[in-house]
Amino acid sequence: MELKAMPVTLTSCDKGRVKEIYMQAFAKEDRMPYWLMLIMAKMKNTDFLSFYDGNTLCGFVYMATSENLTFVMFFAVEEALRSKGYGGNILEKVLERYPKNKIVITIERCDENANNFQQRLKRKEFYLRNGYFETGYLVELGNQKQEIIIKNGAFDPKEFIRFFKKYSNGMIKPKVWSTDGFWGNA
């Protein structure tokens, strides 16, 4: 399969379908406004890409880059196409786009008491199979506590906090700590 990446913009013909995938894949409390994603995608350090297998929309990724760190904020595959290799292929396209960058993703913690524990575990296993590693760090963005995973380098919490300061002009101040204890915040 050879996926083709296309930017998602205000004028994209499939922007509505990408939005549907986004709304299905992420809980309301985990989403940012879709219109804001479309506007922020105009920034030079933000990529909002849809992926196609021929004419079939397979999924999307929304990510930002600062220096040598790329943070994948949102990534989803069309539900009917999951477990067919598209997710791994999209992650490879991200790495091809930024081959020298550390690729950071945050995921829900695998809390055994969570009502969707199996789904969380399956998601984490997917990333680990695709070359991502546990960092031993957690982040709190908004009120969501998530685990940080990485590919293509070692995680540096100071670098991650600098990324947010730069990307958000100081508006987003994540708390980052190791699973062994508190580390710091922005």
Side-chain angles (χ1 to χ4, degrees), residues 115-140:
N115 59 0
N116 65 341
F117 171 70
Q118 289 302 321
Q119 180 187 36
R120 292 177 183 204
L121 189 59
K122 186 176 177 183
R123 185 177 298 122
K124 183 174 182 175
E125 289 170 349
F126 162 77
Y127 286 113
L128 296 177
R129 277 194 317 274
N130 281 281
Y132 285 78
F133 295 93
E134 296 174 317
T135 63
Y137 283 89
L138 303 171
V139 63
E140 183 175 354

Side-chain angles (χ1 to χ4, degrees), residues 9-172:
T9 67
L10 289 166
T11 59
S12 297
C13 59
D14 275 347
K15 75 175 187 271
R17 185 66 196 115
V18 171
K19 182 179 181 180
E20 288 175 20
I21 295 170
Y22 175 61
M23 298 299 204
Q24 291 169 355
F26 294 94
K28 184 177 182 177
E29 61 272 11
D30 296 333
R31 295 190 300 246
M32 66 187 285
Y34 189 71
W35 61 267
L36 184 57
M37 291 170 66
L38 290 168
I39 290 169
M40 290 184 71
K42 293 180 178 185
M43 296 169 50
K44 69 176 182 167
N45 60 346
T46 304
D47 295 303
F48 192 1
L49 302 171
S50 55
F51 292 87
Y52 294 83
D53 185 0
N55 292 325
T56 302
L57 174 63
C58 302
F60 75 91
V61 66
Y62 180 86
M63 58 191 169
T65 298
S66 179
E67 298 171 20
N68 71 335
L69 189 143
T70 299
F71 178 44
V72 176
M73 295 179 210
F74 299 103
F75 160 56
V77 172
E78 165 68 54
E79 193 170 3
L81 298 176
R82 291 181 188 156
S83 299
K84 298 184 186 307
Y86 289 109
N89 202 304
I90 291 170
L91 291 176
E92 280 304 311
K93 294 292 183 187
V94 169
L95 190 58
E96 286 174 17
R97 192 174 189 92
Y98 297 104
K100 295 182 179 183
N101 286 15
K102 298 174 184 180
I103 311 296
V104 175
I105 298 177
T106 61
I107 58 173
E108 292 175 303
R109 295 179 305 161
C110 290
D111 179 357
E112 292 179 2
N113 297 320
N115 59 0
N116 65 341
F117 171 70
Q118 289 302 321
Q119 180 187 36
R120 292 177 183 204
L121 189 59
K122 186 176 177 183
R123 185 177 298 122
K124 183 174 182 175
E125 289 170 349
F126 162 77
Y127 286 113
L128 296 177
R129 277 194 317 274
N130 281 281
Y132 285 78
F133 295 93
E134 296 174 317
T135 63
Y137 283 89
L138 303 171
V139 63
E140 183 175 354
L141 292 165
N143 291 323
Q144 301 295 316
K145 293 180 178 95
Q146 298 195 321
E147 180 179 349
I148 301 169
I149 58 175
I150 194 167
K151 184 171 187 170
N152 217 27
F155 181 73
D156 178 351
K158 291 178 185 175
E159 178 182 42
F160 192 58
I161 289 171
R162 275 194 316 271
F163 163 85
F164 275 101
K165 281 184 178 179
K166 187 173 182 180
Y167 184 71
S168 72
N169 290 322
M171 298 297 290
I172 299 174

